[in-house]
Amino acid sequence: MTGADVRAAAAEMTPVLRGTTDRDWTVRAGDLEWSCWTTAAHVAHDLLAYAGQVTGRPDGGYLPFDLRVRPDAGPADLLTVATSAAGVLAAVVDTADPDSRAWHWGPCDPGGFAAMGVAEILLHTHDLTRGLGLDWAPPEPLCAGVLRRLFPDAPDGEPVPVLLWMTGRAPLGDRPRRTAWTWRAALD
């Protein structure tokens, strides 16, 4: 996956959530324990952390920094921070040497960090829209890309329900909802 995919995911997130910034973002984000506010801050944090990994190229852990969103930031500002962090990750991935590696539970390429960024945006936008009472589903092409890159063991099927099942957000046919999961970003 590329920076264009990260930008496309952010372009899906922003308009659907922009219309909810006057709502109460202290409600739970879907089935998560986090509030919508905390979930959106988490997305921004992870996107920026992924960008740091790609540029810093550490080989043994995450860089020791965190994004801190001011607690008085409203939902509109928080959404702008998340969109900005997506732009940073996209730009970093686009300019990185595709053969470079950085740590994410092993050596990961820039495309893997892009895929994780897309997954964070899509999955947590799904959580946020559920918490805020909106009917929204992530786009199939981006879900298919995430599945190809991060879930090589995913079953065949339509990308959206398979991704939601792989990440414990929904059952899949007669398969019960997963209670534990992990994606595979590191390369062999």
Side-chain angles (χ1 to χ4, degrees):
M1 299 193 86
T2 68
D5 297 310
V6 176
R7 285 184 200 89
E12 291 288 334
M13 171 187 67
T14 304
V16 71
L17 294 176
R18 186 67 66 197
T20 68
T21 57
D22 61 341
R23 296 186 189 181
D24 179 9
W25 279 39
T26 64
V27 300
R28 282 178 54 174
D31 293 333
L32 299 181
E33 295 294 322
W34 296 334
S35 70
C36 289
W37 193 97
T38 301
T39 302
H42 163 80
V43 170
H45 169 273
D46 281 5
L47 297 174
L48 192 60
Y50 296 159
Q53 291 300 100
V54 173
T55 59
R57 300 185 344 193
D59 61 6
Y62 267 88
L63 295 174
F65 74 91
D66 288 308
L67 171 66
R68 181 183 167 275
V69 179
R70 288 193 320 255
D72 64 338
D77 289 333
L78 187 55
L79 187 56
T80 300
V81 171
T83 303
S84 173
V88 171
L89 176 59
V92 164
V93 166
D94 283 346
T95 58
D97 177 346
D99 294 325
S100 67
R101 301 291 181 263
W103 188 87
H104 182 83
W105 308 105
C108 184
D109 64 338
F113 284 101
M116 290 187 294
V118 170
E120 290 287 342
I121 294 167
L122 297 180
L123 294 167
H124 288 312
T125 298
H126 177 264
D127 299 328
L128 288 160
T129 56
R130 288 187 64 220
L132 295 166
L134 301 176
D135 183 28
W136 180 84
E140 285 191 22
L142 290 173
C143 290
V146 168
L147 288 168
R148 274 191 306 276
R149 180 57 180 85
L150 300 179
F151 296 100
D153 59 337
D156 291 334
E158 295 178 28
V160 175
V162 170
L163 181 59
L164 295 176
W165 179 74
M166 291 298 295
T167 58
R169 285 170 170 78
L172 182 64
D174 60 354
R175 297 172 186 186
R177 186 174 175 165
R178 298 175 91 185
T179 57
W181 60 272
T182 186
W183 57 47
R184 185 170 170 228
L187 302 170
D188 293 329

